[in-house]
Amino acid sequence: MCGYAEAEQRKFRGGSRKQCRASNMEEASGKPTAVAVVTEPRFTQRYKEYLEKQKLLDRQHRVKKLRDGTVALPVLRQAFLEQHLRELRNRVAPGSTCVLTQLLDPVPSKKAQSYSPAQRLCLEVSRWVEGRGVTWSAELEADLPRSWQRHGDLLLLSEDCFQAKQWRHLEPELWETVASALGVQRLAKRGRVSPDSTRTPAVSLLLGDHGWVEHVDNGIRYKFDVTQCMFSFGNITEKLRVASLPCAGEVLVDLYAGIGYFTLPFLVHAEAAFVHACEWNPHAVVALRNNLELNGVADRCQIHFGDNRKLKLSNVADRVNLGLIPSSEEGWPIACRVLKQDAGGILHIHQNVESFPGKTLQPPGSSEMEEHWPSPQQIISNQLKNGATSDSRRKTLSVATKQEWQSWAEVAETRIATLLHQVHGKPWKTQILHIQPVKSYAPHVDHIVLDLECRPCHLVG
């Protein structure tokens, strides 16, 4: 075997420290690779027939002719063993010389190009499983993931996959096969969010040595450890909305800052003058501090690490963001305290609100209440007059607004008005400006945001 294939073989086996470093750099780059058997052209057909019979041929990549005239036949990385090399040399094509090599930037086959990622995953995992002597079944196929989150070269699987007992006997090599099929270097699997107040995600790293990833939303860079910090793709519409709010010159308090989900849009795009970011998950604080630097806004933000109920701030905020679900009610007294006592401001209150399945609720004055989920771009707002009654508010309700949202918003408004009076020792006026749907959190449970204007009564006369 000459030149090119021998060099590729040395690279694949990592014969020297220098070659190992080069191989690691290639892995870190995330470029696709494939493993192939290289032989002379006259033996190609016999090799191919053997590989097909043994279910070792990688049909996701094309056979490739190399520069030195030899031919590379892609094989299934996890199933191909040293004994197969010996059989090819000694029994299938006696006298042939073959080596195992790594193909950089392999060309996908026509068939592979037509597969969806889920189909490709099923095909490659089933072949690999059968190559290990395990019978492929409908149960295993149904246990494969159908969706996932991609963060660069890391794929985050949902908790409802790979639960069958058979998988346990195939680890850890199974995860290398899954990662290869989906074109990533690292894998993690999500569990349920911990019930602790830091909302630590129960994420297990299946493949790779760390869980740090980078995600870009609306031009903002977020770096975080998926095994320690939450990140919801479903909140993108709310992040876009707050980025468009007119916050120039304003001071904002973000009571549940996390890694900067809303702190950063307020600073980078809404142009808030300053943000006080509160967070008590130490891993999220590390990420938040890093993200503020990454996005060039660290000089306009102060991080308050610890329990926000012990926050030593008052009379500073034009806006307060309360981005905690299922409820941020524990933070309402703090939000009232940090609002500017002479000017007031706006609260952005997140909440999960339950709808009543099977009921069509019709508010007075409305002919019909639609039960479908509105598009995130819909603006659901009430232009309320000072002193409007509950009934008159209901009459102004948009047909896209669920009655449960409005009912919860009115209860929250009354509660906030009471808290403001208690905190500041004088009456305040509250007004529902806007109810924004963010996402469906669970069946019959909607994540919404209430924009509530709060002003001292002397300002509204």
Side-chain angles (χ1 to χ4, degrees), residues 274-308:
F274 198 84
V275 172
H276 293 277
C278 307
E279 179 54 46
W280 67 358
N281 180 341
H283 303 286
V285 168
V286 171
L288 173 60
R289 186 171 287 113
N290 185 39
N291 292 334
L292 290 167
E293 293 287 350
L294 276 176
N295 291 280
V297 291
D299 59 330
R300 291 159 48 211
C301 183
Q302 181 180 351
I303 298 174
H304 300 267
F305 174 52
D307 188 340
N308 62 22

Side-chain angles (χ1 to χ4, degrees), residues 329 332 347-354 380-382 384 389-390 393-394 396-397 401-418 430-437 446 448-454:
E329 191 165 355
W332 293 3
L347 305 182
H348 302 287
I349 307 172
H350 291 238
Q351 180 78 14
N352 280 356
V353 177
E354 184 177 357
I380 302 170
S381 58
N382 297 309
L384 302 177
T389 66
S390 176
R393 292 179 184 187
R394 294 176 190 272
T396 62
L397 197 61
T401 306
K402 292 186 178 181
Q403 180 62 33
E404 292 84 0
W405 302 352
Q406 181 70 16
S407 298
W408 172 80
E410 291 172 4
V411 171
E413 178 189 18
T414 301
R415 172 71 176 138
I416 293 292
T418 301
T430 55
Q431 179 173 312
I432 298 172
L433 297 178
H434 186 81
I435 301 174
Q436 175 72 27
D446 301 326
I448 66 171
V449 180
L450 165 64
D451 292 351
L452 187 67
E453 185 176 20
C454 307

Side-chain angles (χ1 to χ4, degrees), residues 17 55 82 113 168 210 227 247 282 302 321 338 356 359 367 375 397 421 431 444:
R17 292 181 182 178
K55 298 182 179 179
E82 182 66 30
Q113 292 173 9
R168 298 174 191 170
H210 67 88
T227 67
C247 299
Q302 181 180 351
N321 193 63
V338 299
F356 302 105
K359 294 183 180 179
S367 60
S375 66
L397 197 61
H421 196 166
Q431 179 173 312
H444 313 296

Side-chain angles (χ1 to χ4, degrees), residues 141-320:
E141 183 169 343
D143 203 27
L144 291 175
R146 295 293 184 270
S147 61
W148 44 76
Q149 286 185 4
R150 186 182 291 269
H151 299 278
D153 71 344
L154 183 145
L155 209 69
L156 181 59
L157 303 173
S158 59
E159 61 183 294
D160 59 352
C161 65
F162 293 114
Q163 295 178 320
K165 292 181 180 179
Q166 295 95 311
W167 299 121
R168 298 174 191 170
H169 305 296
L170 300 171
E171 299 174 7
E173 293 85 358
L174 168 66
W175 308 128
E176 296 178 7
T177 302
V178 173
S180 175
L182 296 175
V184 294
Q185 301 292 329
R186 295 178 292 158
L187 276 181
K189 185 182 177 186
R190 184 165 39 195
R192 294 198 176 275
V193 176
S194 302
D196 60 17
S197 300
T198 60
R199 286 181 60 77
T200 304
V203 173
S204 303
L205 196 63
L206 305 176
L207 182 66
D209 55 3
H210 67 88
W212 278 89
V213 298
E214 179 171 353
H215 186 72
V216 179
D217 265 350
N218 195 23
I220 296 173
R221 296 173 65 189
Y222 298 88
K223 280 190 174 182
F224 58 100
D225 185 342
V226 295
T227 67
Q228 302 292 343
C229 303
M230 290 283 295
F231 189 89
S232 173
F233 284 92
N235 292 342
I236 180 61
T237 54
E238 180 62 9
K239 285 188 278 190
L240 291 172
R241 187 179 79 93
V242 302
S244 68
L245 293 175
C247 299
E250 294 184 349
V251 174
L252 181 129
V253 173
D254 191 350
L255 284 178
Y256 307 96
I259 66 170
Y261 316 104
F262 299 109
T263 293
L264 290 167
F266 274 117
L267 286 168
V268 175
H269 295 307
E271 299 181 345
F274 198 84
V275 172
H276 293 277
C278 307
E279 179 54 46
W280 67 358
N281 180 341
H283 303 286
V285 168
V286 171
L288 173 60
R289 186 171 287 113
N290 185 39
N291 292 334
L292 290 167
E293 293 287 350
L294 276 176
N295 291 280
V297 291
D299 59 330
R300 291 159 48 211
C301 183
Q302 181 180 351
I303 298 174
H304 300 267
F305 174 52
D307 188 340
N308 62 22
R309 290 170 295 187
K310 300 177 182 178
L311 183 65
K312 301 195 181 301
L313 278 181
S314 60
N315 188 30
V316 297
D318 299 290
R319 291 179 191 265
V320 183

